[in-house]
Amino acid sequence: MAILLTGGTGKTSTHLAKLLQDANIPFLLTSRKGQAGAPSGMEAVKFDWDDASTYEAPFQHKFPNGETIKAVYLIGPQSHNASPLMISFVGIAIKHGVKRVVMLTGSETERNGGIHSGSVWQHLEDSGVEYCVLRATWFMENLTQWQHLGSIKNEGKIYSACGDGKVPFVSVADIAAVAFYALTVEKLPSTDYRVLGPELLTHDQLAEKLSKGLGRKIENVKLTKEESAERWSEVNHAPEPLAQFMAKLESLTADKREERTNSVVEKVTGRPPMTFDAFVQENKSVWG
């Protein structure tokens, strides 16, 4: 059995690929650049969510020992209209013999409703395929790799419309570990896991912990939803629909929609999830 990882060069897929590699489990990454976009020592195939003609390509890949893809790690595109594309691809995957799909989505996703990929979740349920939906909260790595890196490093500031909402920030390493279990366990009852970190933190508390860990003042700047959408567009160069979507997620956080904890990571992996203090110590050099 081989495993296909969509979002192959993204945060969670690269961690997951290393876990599969260490376990000697065959896998294939997807990338818009094909093999040129793959980490050293890993195979990838050209795949573009905006080009349906590439959806068949992963299933035409020749594995060294004749394995075929039986499981898919599914991460949709950063688009406000991702669900139809994902549903189309899932249909193709099942046609090619895929028996299990593990989908990463946001913590507020509900089957056939809410935001994110609810209709994809419902499609997985209706298709009869084994599935697991990983409903993850905000990533710690957003502070080192995405919207907050430049402002922390160059301005000593975090900008968001999350207000005083508390978040159980989670590391992508912990998400990847839960995904590894869901993809490789012998029998997977179709289910969902909310993948959360170990502590509830406001963005003010993040700034305090960063200040302590980095030895310099980090300030949290509270934006309105409209100001956040503008920043997403102008500073992070997000397309307008994505900018509005991300600002909406932040406003939901301000409304305390992320204020929850659980023990999923520890129950599944046998170890507690990473704390934010530990994350800061591991990544101090990234912020300079």
Side-chain angles (χ1 to χ4, degrees), residues 25-70:
I25 296 173
F27 66 92
L28 179 67
L29 302 173
T30 65
S31 168
R32 282 190 228 176
K33 297 180 180 179
Q35 188 59 48
S40 177
M42 297 182 183
E43 293 192 343
V45 64
K46 182 175 175 59
F47 181 91
D48 186 342
W49 280 112
D50 293 326
D51 182 359
S53 69
T54 66
Y55 290 9
E56 299 271 356
F59 307 103
Q60 296 166 353
H61 180 78
K62 304 298 183 184
F63 289 88
N65 296 315
E67 297 95 343
T68 57
I69 296 169
K70 296 297 183 184

mmCIF file of all heavy atoms in Angstrom, residues 25-70:
data_model
loop_
_atom_site.group_PDB
_atom_site.id
_atom_site.type_symbol
_atom_site.label_atom_id
_atom_site.label_comp_id
_atom_site.label_asym_id
_atom_site.label_seq_id
_atom_site.Cartn_x
_atom_site.Cartn_y
_atom_site.Cartn_z
ATOM 1 N N ILE A 25 7.223 3.350 4.775
ATOM 2 C CA ILE A 25 5.917 3.219 4.129
ATOM 3 C C ILE A 25 5.944 4.009 2.826
ATOM 4 O O ILE A 25 6.252 5.203 2.845
ATOM 5 C CB ILE A 25 4.796 3.740 5.043
ATOM 6 C CG1 ILE A 25 4.717 2.877 6.314
ATOM 7 C CG2 ILE A 25 3.451 3.741 4.320
ATOM 8 C CD1 ILE A 25 3.765 3.409 7.362
ATOM 9 N N PRO A 26 5.664 3.389 1.691
ATOM 10 C CA PRO A 26 5.721 4.106 0.412
ATOM 11 C C PRO A 26 4.733 5.270 0.372
ATOM 12 O O PRO A 26 3.594 5.144 0.822
ATOM 13 C CB PRO A 26 5.338 3.034 -0.616
ATOM 14 C CG PRO A 26 5.553 1.728 0.067
ATOM 15 C CD PRO A 26 5.282 1.977 1.522
ATOM 16 N N PHE A 27 5.176 6.393 -0.178
ATOM 17 C CA PHE A 27 4.301 7.551 -0.298
ATOM 18 C C PHE A 27 4.711 8.383 -1.504
ATOM 19 O O PHE A 27 5.814 8.236 -2.046
ATOM 20 C CB PHE A 27 4.350 8.407 0.980
ATOM 21 C CG PHE A 27 5.685 9.064 1.231
ATOM 22 C CD1 PHE A 27 5.953 10.343 0.763
ATOM 23 C CD2 PHE A 27 6.681 8.396 1.931
ATOM 24 C CE1 PHE A 27 7.181 10.945 0.995
ATOM 25 C CE2 PHE A 27 7.917 8.975 2.160
ATOM 26 C CZ PHE A 27 8.175 10.259 1.692
ATOM 27 N N LEU A 28 3.807 9.267 -1.881
ATOM 28 C CA LEU A 28 4.036 10.154 -3.014
ATOM 29 C C LEU A 28 3.498 11.533 -2.659
ATOM 30 O O LEU A 28 2.383 11.653 -2.158
ATOM 31 C CB LEU A 28 3.325 9.620 -4.263
ATOM 32 C CG LEU A 28 3.439 10.445 -5.546
ATOM 33 C CD1 LEU A 28 4.883 10.442 -6.059
ATOM 34 C CD2 LEU A 28 2.495 9.890 -6.616
ATOM 35 N N LEU A 29 4.309 12.561 -2.910
ATOM 36 C CA LEU A 29 3.888 13.931 -2.685
ATOM 37 C C LEU A 29 3.294 14.532 -3.949
ATOM 38 O O LEU A 29 3.616 14.097 -5.062
ATOM 39 C CB LEU A 29 5.083 14.791 -2.258
ATOM 40 C CG LEU A 29 5.847 14.369 -1.003
ATOM 41 C CD1 LEU A 29 7.090 15.234 -0.839
ATOM 42 C CD2 LEU A 29 4.974 14.487 0.227
ATOM 43 N N THR A 30 2.441 15.528 -3.787
ATOM 44 C CA THR A 30 1.991 16.307 -4.929
ATOM 45 C C THR A 30 2.586 17.705 -4.836
ATOM 46 O O THR A 30 2.815 18.233 -3.752
ATOM 47 C CB THR A 30 0.458 16.433 -4.985
ATOM 48 O OG1 THR A 30 0.008 17.185 -3.854
ATOM 49 C CG2 THR A 30 -0.197 15.067 -5.006
ATOM 50 N N SER A 31 2.849 18.289 -5.988
ATOM 51 C CA SER A 31 3.409 19.630 -6.048
ATOM 52 C C SER A 31 3.098 20.244 -7.398
ATOM 53 O O SER A 31 3.084 19.541 -8.415
ATOM 54 C CB SER A 31 4.934 19.587 -5.837
ATOM 55 O OG SER A 31 5.523 20.830 -6.162
ATOM 56 N N ARG A 32 2.835 21.533 -7.421
ATOM 57 C CA ARG A 32 2.631 22.195 -8.707
ATOM 58 C C ARG A 32 3.883 22.134 -9.565
ATOM 59 O O ARG A 32 3.811 22.209 -10.790
ATOM 60 C CB ARG A 32 2.245 23.668 -8.473
ATOM 61 C CG ARG A 32 0.807 23.856 -8.056
ATOM 62 C CD ARG A 32 0.450 25.310 -8.074
ATOM 63 N NE ARG A 32 -0.215 25.703 -6.849
ATOM 64 C CZ ARG A 32 -0.578 26.945 -6.573
ATOM 65 N NH1 ARG A 32 -0.314 27.900 -7.415
ATOM 66 N NH2 ARG A 32 -1.197 27.220 -5.454
ATOM 67 N N LYS A 33 5.034 22.012 -8.929
ATOM 68 C CA LYS A 33 6.307 21.936 -9.660
ATOM 69 C C LYS A 33 6.737 20.499 -9.936
ATOM 70 O O LYS A 33 7.813 20.274 -10.498
ATOM 71 C CB LYS A 33 7.398 22.649 -8.863
ATOM 72 C CG LYS A 33 7.152 24.138 -8.674
ATOM 73 C CD LYS A 33 8.276 24.768 -7.876
ATOM 74 C CE LYS A 33 8.054 26.259 -7.672
ATOM 75 N NZ LYS A 33 9.141 26.872 -6.871
ATOM 76 N N GLY A 34 5.912 19.523 -9.539
ATOM 77 C CA GLY A 34 6.296 18.130 -9.739
ATOM 78 C C GLY A 34 7.506 17.775 -8.902
ATOM 79 O O GLY A 34 7.668 18.238 -7.767
ATOM 80 N N GLN A 35 8.399 16.960 -9.452
ATOM 81 C CA GLN A 35 9.567 16.499 -8.711
ATOM 82 C C GLN A 35 10.459 17.660 -8.274
ATOM 83 O O GLN A 35 11.100 17.599 -7.223
ATOM 84 C CB GLN A 35 10.379 15.521 -9.560
ATOM 85 C CG GLN A 35 11.505 14.825 -8.814
ATOM 86 C CD GLN A 35 11.021 14.010 -7.610
ATOM 87 O OE1 GLN A 35 10.070 13.248 -7.729
ATOM 88 N NE2 GLN A 35 11.666 14.171 -6.465
ATOM 89 N N ALA A 36 10.478 18.729 -9.048
ATOM 90 C CA ALA A 36 11.313 19.880 -8.697
ATOM 91 C C ALA A 36 10.876 20.530 -7.388
ATOM 92 O O ALA A 36 11.671 21.222 -6.743
ATOM 93 C CB ALA A 36 11.275 20.916 -9.824
ATOM 94 N N GLY A 37 9.638 20.299 -6.975
ATOM 95 C CA GLY A 37 9.150 20.893 -5.737
ATOM 96 C C GLY A 37 9.273 20.001 -4.526
ATOM 97 O O GLY A 37 8.861 20.389 -3.432
ATOM 98 N N ALA A 38 9.839 18.818 -4.707
ATOM 99 C CA ALA A 38 9.897 17.849 -3.612
ATOM 100 C C ALA A 38 11.159 18.003 -2.771
ATOM 101 O O ALA A 38 12.214 18.359 -3.296
ATOM 102 C CB ALA A 38 9.844 16.435 -4.174
ATOM 103 N N PRO A 39 11.081 17.717 -1.461
ATOM 104 C CA PRO A 39 12.282 17.682 -0.636
ATOM 105 C C PRO A 39 13.226 16.592 -1.130
ATOM 106 O O PRO A 39 12.814 15.628 -1.779
ATOM 107 C CB PRO A 39 11.741 17.343 0.762
ATOM 108 C CG PRO A 39 10.301 17.734 0.727
ATOM 109 C CD PRO A 39 9.855 17.482 -0.677
ATOM 110 N N SER A 40 14.476 16.742 -0.827
ATOM 111 C CA SER A 40 15.485 15.776 -1.262
ATOM 112 C C SER A 40 15.144 14.365 -0.779
ATOM 113 O O SER A 40 14.781 14.168 0.388
ATOM 114 C CB SER A 40 16.858 16.185 -0.716
ATOM 115 O OG SER A 40 17.846 15.241 -1.069
ATOM 116 N N GLY A 41 15.246 13.389 -1.679
ATOM 117 C CA GLY A 41 15.011 11.998 -1.325
ATOM 118 C C GLY A 41 13.561 11.577 -1.318
ATOM 119 O O GLY A 41 13.247 10.451 -0.927
ATOM 120 N N MET A 42 12.649 12.470 -1.747
ATOM 121 C CA MET A 42 11.224 12.150 -1.773
ATOM 122 C C MET A 42 10.677 12.332 -3.181
ATOM 123 O O MET A 42 11.089 13.248 -3.891
ATOM 124 C CB MET A 42 10.442 13.033 -0.789
ATOM 125 C CG MET A 42 10.840 12.825 0.653
ATOM 126 S SD MET A 42 9.835 13.843 1.794
ATOM 127 C CE MET A 42 10.599 13.427 3.368
ATOM 128 N N GLU A 43 9.758 11.447 -3.572
ATOM 129 C CA GLU A 43 9.189 11.519 -4.910
ATOM 130 C C GLU A 43 7.913 12.362 -4.908
ATOM 131 O O GLU A 43 7.131 12.330 -3.958
ATOM 132 C CB GLU A 43 8.885 10.116 -5.429
ATOM 133 C CG GLU A 43 10.137 9.284 -5.682
ATOM 134 C CD GLU A 43 9.826 8.025 -6.468
ATOM 135 O OE1 GLU A 43 8.647 7.639 -6.532
ATOM 136 O OE2 GLU A 43 10.775 7.436 -7.020
ATOM 137 N N ALA A 44 7.727 13.100 -5.998
ATOM 138 C CA ALA A 44 6.543 13.946 -6.128
ATOM 139 C C ALA A 44 6.052 13.897 -7.563
ATOM 140 O O ALA A 44 6.799 13.585 -8.496
ATOM 141 C CB ALA A 44 6.860 15.382 -5.733
ATOM 142 N N VAL A 45 4.786 14.225 -7.737
ATOM 143 C CA VAL A 45 4.163 14.261 -9.052
ATOM 144 C C VAL A 45 3.508 15.628 -9.219
ATOM 145 O O VAL A 45 3.055 16.240 -8.252
ATOM 146 C CB VAL A 45 3.124 13.127 -9.203
ATOM 147 C CG1 VAL A 45 1.975 13.303 -8.224
ATOM 148 C CG2 VAL A 45 2.607 13.029 -10.616
ATOM 149 N N LYS A 46 3.463 16.099 -10.446
ATOM 150 C CA LYS A 46 2.842 17.401 -10.718
ATOM 151 C C LYS A 46 1.336 17.315 -10.475
ATOM 152 O O LYS A 46 0.657 16.430 -10.998
ATOM 153 C CB LYS A 46 3.112 17.832 -12.153
ATOM 154 C CG LYS A 46 2.527 19.204 -12.505
ATOM 155 C CD LYS A 46 2.919 19.631 -13.896
ATOM 156 C CE LYS A 46 2.227 20.942 -14.286
ATOM 157 N NZ LYS A 46 2.551 22.048 -13.355
ATOM 158 N N PHE A 47 0.833 18.263 -9.681
ATOM 159 C CA PHE A 47 -0.574 18.299 -9.329
ATOM 160 C C PHE A 47 -0.959 19.738 -9.043
ATOM 161 O O PHE A 47 -0.280 20.440 -8.287
ATOM 162 C CB PHE A 47 -0.837 17.427 -8.094
ATOM 163 C CG PHE A 47 -2.276 17.370 -7.657
ATOM 164 C CD1 PHE A 47 -3.117 16.389 -8.149
ATOM 165 C CD2 PHE A 47 -2.785 18.295 -6.758
ATOM 166 C CE1 PHE A 47 -4.459 16.328 -7.742
ATOM 167 C CE2 PHE A 47 -4.109 18.243 -6.345
ATOM 168 C CZ PHE A 47 -4.940 17.259 -6.842
ATOM 169 N N ASP A 48 -2.050 20.196 -9.625
ATOM 170 C CA ASP A 48 -2.509 21.567 -9.447
ATOM 171 C C ASP A 48 -4.020 21.553 -9.270
ATOM 172 O O ASP A 48 -4.746 21.103 -10.159
ATOM 173 C CB ASP A 48 -2.120 22.401 -10.672
ATOM 174 C CG ASP A 48 -2.422 23.883 -10.508
ATOM 175 O OD1 ASP A 48 -3.222 24.237 -9.614
ATOM 176 O OD2 ASP A 48 -1.862 24.685 -11.275
ATOM 177 N N TRP A 49 -4.493 22.038 -8.128
ATOM 178 C CA TRP A 49 -5.930 22.045 -7.867
ATOM 179 C C TRP A 49 -6.702 22.816 -8.938
ATOM 180 O O TRP A 49 -7.863 22.536 -9.197
ATOM 181 C CB TRP A 49 -6.217 22.639 -6.492
ATOM 182 C CG TRP A 49 -6.014 21.698 -5.347
ATOM 183 C CD1 TRP A 49 -5.062 21.770 -4.380
ATOM 184 C CD2 TRP A 49 -6.797 20.538 -5.044
ATOM 185 N NE1 TRP A 49 -5.194 20.717 -3.500
ATOM 186 C CE2 TRP A 49 -6.261 19.954 -3.879
ATOM 187 C CE3 TRP A 49 -7.901 19.939 -5.640
ATOM 188 C CZ2 TRP A 49 -6.784 18.803 -3.304
ATOM 189 C CZ3 TRP A 49 -8.438 18.786 -5.063
ATOM 190 C CH2 TRP A 49 -7.877 18.232 -3.906
ATOM 191 N N ASP A 50 -6.057 23.785 -9.554
ATOM 192 C CA ASP A 50 -6.732 24.599 -10.566
ATOM 193 C C ASP A 50 -6.681 23.975 -11.957
ATOM 194 O O ASP A 50 -7.165 24.572 -12.921
ATOM 195 C CB ASP A 50 -6.101 25.995 -10.619
ATOM 196 C CG ASP A 50 -6.357 26.788 -9.343
ATOM 197 O OD1 ASP A 50 -7.450 26.616 -8.754
ATOM 198 O OD2 ASP A 50 -5.467 27.550 -8.931
ATOM 199 N N ASP A 51 -6.082 22.798 -12.075
ATOM 200 C CA ASP A 51 -5.974 22.118 -13.363
ATOM 201 C C ASP A 51 -6.442 20.666 -13.201
ATOM 202 O O ASP A 51 -5.678 19.791 -12.813
ATOM 203 C CB ASP A 51 -4.523 22.166 -13.856
ATOM 204 C CG ASP A 51 -4.333 21.517 -15.226
ATOM 205 O OD1 ASP A 51 -5.318 21.003 -15.797
ATOM 206 O OD2 ASP A 51 -3.194 21.513 -15.718
ATOM 207 N N ALA A 52 -7.705 20.422 -13.500
ATOM 208 C CA ALA A 52 -8.281 19.085 -13.292
ATOM 209 C C ALA A 52 -7.599 18.017 -14.120
ATOM 210 O O ALA A 52 -7.685 16.823 -13.786
ATOM 211 C CB ALA A 52 -9.780 19.108 -13.609
ATOM 212 N N SER A 53 -6.882 18.402 -15.173
ATOM 213 C CA SER A 53 -6.191 17.408 -15.998
ATOM 214 C C SER A 53 -5.035 16.753 -15.246
ATOM 215 O O SER A 53 -4.517 15.719 -15.678
ATOM 216 C CB SER A 53 -5.671 18.051 -17.286
ATOM 217 O OG SER A 53 -4.601 18.954 -17.022
ATOM 218 N N THR A 54 -4.623 17.335 -14.101
ATOM 219 C CA THR A 54 -3.532 16.743 -13.312
ATOM 220 C C THR A 54 -4.037 15.787 -12.238
ATOM 221 O O THR A 54 -3.236 15.149 -11.558
ATOM 222 C CB THR A 54 -2.682 17.841 -12.630
ATOM 223 O OG1 THR A 54 -3.484 18.526 -11.638
ATOM 224 C CG2 THR A 54 -2.176 18.857 -13.644
ATOM 225 N N TYR A 55 -5.348 15.669 -12.076
ATOM 226 C CA TYR A 55 -5.895 14.866 -10.978
ATOM 227 C C TYR A 55 -5.611 13.373 -11.134
ATOM 228 O O TYR A 55 -5.565 12.631 -10.143
ATOM 229 C CB TYR A 55 -7.407 15.073 -10.852
ATOM 230 C CG TYR A 55 -7.845 16.431 -10.353
ATOM 231 C CD1 TYR A 55 -6.939 17.484 -10.200
ATOM 232 C CD2 TYR A 55 -9.175 16.669 -10.034
ATOM 233 C CE1 TYR A 55 -7.357 18.732 -9.749
ATOM 234 C CE2 TYR A 55 -9.611 17.916 -9.577
ATOM 235 C CZ TYR A 55 -8.698 18.936 -9.439
ATOM 236 O OH TYR A 55 -9.125 20.167 -8.993
ATOM 237 N N GLU A 56 -5.454 12.911 -12.355
ATOM 238 C CA GLU A 56 -5.183 11.493 -12.592
ATOM 239 C C GLU A 56 -3.708 11.140 -12.394
ATOM 240 O O GLU A 56 -3.368 9.971 -12.159
ATOM 241 C CB GLU A 56 -5.583 11.120 -14.026
ATOM 242 C CG GLU A 56 -7.055 11.311 -14.355
ATOM 243 C CD GLU A 56 -7.884 10.081 -14.050
ATOM 244 O OE1 GLU A 56 -7.306 9.055 -13.655
ATOM 245 O OE2 GLU A 56 -9.122 10.160 -14.214
ATOM 246 N N ALA A 57 -2.834 12.147 -12.478
ATOM 247 C CA ALA A 57 -1.388 11.889 -12.506
ATOM 248 C C ALA A 57 -0.866 11.069 -11.325
ATOM 249 O O ALA A 57 -0.035 10.158 -11.521
ATOM 250 C CB ALA A 57 -0.633 13.214 -12.612
ATOM 251 N N PRO A 58 -1.300 11.327 -10.086
ATOM 252 C CA PRO A 58 -0.741 10.544 -8.976
ATOM 253 C C PRO A 58 -0.989 9.050 -9.110
ATOM 254 O O PRO A 58 -0.148 8.231 -8.687
ATOM 255 C CB PRO A 58 -1.477 11.099 -7.743
ATOM 256 C CG PRO A 58 -1.902 12.475 -8.146
ATOM 257 C CD PRO A 58 -2.219 12.375 -9.601
ATOM 258 N N PHE A 59 -2.090 8.672 -9.738
ATOM 259 C CA PHE A 59 -2.468 7.260 -9.818
ATOM 260 C C PHE A 59 -1.808 6.556 -11.003
ATOM 261 O O PHE A 59 -1.937 5.346 -11.167
ATOM 262 C CB PHE A 59 -3.989 7.151 -9.867
ATOM 263 C CG PHE A 59 -4.649 7.889 -8.742
ATOM 264 C CD1 PHE A 59 -5.244 9.132 -8.953
ATOM 265 C CD2 PHE A 59 -4.611 7.388 -7.454
ATOM 266 C CE1 PHE A 59 -5.819 9.834 -7.910
ATOM 267 C CE2 PHE A 59 -5.178 8.086 -6.400
ATOM 268 C CZ PHE A 59 -5.775 9.313 -6.632
ATOM 269 N N GLN A 60 -1.078 7.310 -11.797
ATOM 270 C CA GLN A 60 -0.309 6.746 -12.900
ATOM 271 C C GLN A 60 1.164 6.583 -12.521
ATOM 272 O O GLN A 60 1.945 6.059 -13.306
ATOM 273 C CB GLN A 60 -0.443 7.649 -14.129
ATOM 274 C CG GLN A 60 -1.876 7.728 -14.649
ATOM 275 C CD GLN A 60 -2.091 8.847 -15.638
ATOM 276 O OE1 GLN A 60 -1.208 9.675 -15.875
ATOM 277 N NE2 GLN A 60 -3.283 8.906 -16.225
ATOM 278 N N HIS A 61 1.513 7.023 -11.309
ATOM 279 C CA HIS A 61 2.891 6.920 -10.847
ATOM 280 C C HIS A 61 3.278 5.458 -10.636
ATOM 281 O O HIS A 61 2.496 4.660 -10.114
ATOM 282 C CB HIS A 61 3.059 7.685 -9.535
ATOM 283 C CG HIS A 61 4.446 7.641 -8.972
ATOM 284 N ND1 HIS A 61 5.466 8.423 -9.459
ATOM 285 C CD2 HIS A 61 4.976 6.903 -7.958
ATOM 286 C CE1 HIS A 61 6.563 8.183 -8.773
ATOM 287 N NE2 HIS A 61 6.290 7.262 -7.854
ATOM 288 N N LYS A 62 4.490 5.107 -11.041
ATOM 289 C CA LYS A 62 5.006 3.746 -10.885
ATOM 290 C C LYS A 62 5.890 3.665 -9.647
ATOM 291 O O LYS A 62 6.962 4.265 -9.583
ATOM 292 C CB LYS A 62 5.805 3.323 -12.119
ATOM 293 C CG LYS A 62 5.029 3.419 -13.432
ATOM 294 C CD LYS A 62 3.825 2.490 -13.438
ATOM 295 C CE LYS A 62 3.092 2.542 -14.784
ATOM 296 N NZ LYS A 62 1.870 1.719 -14.801
ATOM 297 N N PHE A 63 5.430 2.944 -8.649
ATOM 298 C CA PHE A 63 6.224 2.738 -7.445
ATOM 299 C C PHE A 63 7.215 1.598 -7.660
ATOM 300 O O PHE A 63 6.934 0.658 -8.418
ATOM 301 C CB PHE A 63 5.312 2.436 -6.255
ATOM 302 C CG PHE A 63 4.516 3.610 -5.782
ATOM 303 C CD1 PHE A 63 3.269 3.897 -6.330
ATOM 304 C CD2 PHE A 63 5.018 4.457 -4.791
ATOM 305 C CE1 PHE A 63 2.533 4.989 -5.902
ATOM 306 C CE2 PHE A 63 4.284 5.556 -4.355
ATOM 307 C CZ PHE A 63 3.040 5.825 -4.916
ATOM 308 N N PRO A 64 8.381 1.647 -6.995
ATOM 309 C CA PRO A 64 9.441 0.647 -7.227
ATOM 310 C C PRO A 64 8.998 -0.797 -7.056
ATOM 311 O O PRO A 64 9.438 -1.678 -7.789
ATOM 312 C CB PRO A 64 10.513 1.025 -6.192
ATOM 313 C CG PRO A 64 10.293 2.472 -5.926
ATOM 314 C CD PRO A 64 8.803 2.683 -6.038
ATOM 315 N N ASN A 65 8.157 -1.073 -6.079
ATOM 316 C CA ASN A 65 7.749 -2.453 -5.806
ATOM 317 C C ASN A 65 6.315 -2.735 -6.236
ATOM 318 O O ASN A 65 5.691 -3.688 -5.751
ATOM 319 C CB ASN A 65 7.920 -2.755 -4.316
ATOM 320 C CG ASN A 65 9.376 -2.695 -3.889
ATOM 321 O OD1 ASN A 65 10.255 -3.223 -4.576
ATOM 322 N ND2 ASN A 65 9.645 -2.020 -2.784
ATOM 323 N N GLY A 66 5.812 -1.905 -7.132
ATOM 324 C CA GLY A 66 4.484 -2.143 -7.692
ATOM 325 C C GLY A 66 3.328 -1.783 -6.776
ATOM 326 O O GLY A 66 2.191 -2.197 -7.021
ATOM 327 N N GLU A 67 3.594 -1.001 -5.718
ATOM 328 C CA GLU A 67 2.515 -0.600 -4.821
ATOM 329 C C GLU A 67 1.524 0.309 -5.543
ATOM 330 O O GLU A 67 1.862 0.960 -6.532
ATOM 331 C CB GLU A 67 3.057 0.149 -3.590
ATOM 332 C CG GLU A 67 3.966 -0.662 -2.703
ATOM 333 C CD GLU A 67 5.440 -0.452 -3.028
ATOM 334 O OE1 GLU A 67 5.747 0.062 -4.126
ATOM 335 O OE2 GLU A 67 6.275 -0.813 -2.181
ATOM 336 N N THR A 68 0.321 0.335 -5.041
ATOM 337 C CA THR A 68 -0.680 1.264 -5.557
ATOM 338 C C THR A 68 -1.188 2.135 -4.418
ATOM 339 O O THR A 68 -1.131 1.749 -3.245
ATOM 340 C CB THR A 68 -1.860 0.525 -6.206
ATOM 341 O OG1 THR A 68 -2.446 -0.361 -5.241
ATOM 342 C CG2 THR A 68 -1.403 -0.271 -7.420
ATOM 343 N N ILE A 69 -1.680 3.296 -4.759
ATOM 344 C CA ILE A 69 -2.161 4.242 -3.750
ATOM 345 C C ILE A 69 -3.497 3.770 -3.194
ATOM 346 O O ILE A 69 -4.472 3.622 -3.935
ATOM 347 C CB ILE A 69 -2.295 5.653 -4.352
ATOM 348 C CG1 ILE A 69 -0.919 6.182 -4.768
ATOM 349 C CG2 ILE A 69 -2.957 6.604 -3.361
ATOM 350 C CD1 ILE A 69 -0.978 7.447 -5.605
ATOM 351 N N LYS A 70 -3.510 3.531 -1.897
ATOM 352 C CA LYS A 70 -4.736 3.078 -1.232
ATOM 353 C C LYS A 70 -5.266 4.079 -0.218
ATOM 354 O O LYS A 70 -6.394 3.934 0.276
ATOM 355 C CB LYS A 70 -4.479 1.739 -0.529
ATOM 356 C CG LYS A 70 -4.142 0.594 -1.478
ATOM 357 C CD LYS A 70 -5.313 0.297 -2.423
ATOM 358 C CE LYS A 70 -5.008 -0.888 -3.328
ATOM 359 N NZ LYS A 70 -6.103 -1.126 -4.301
#
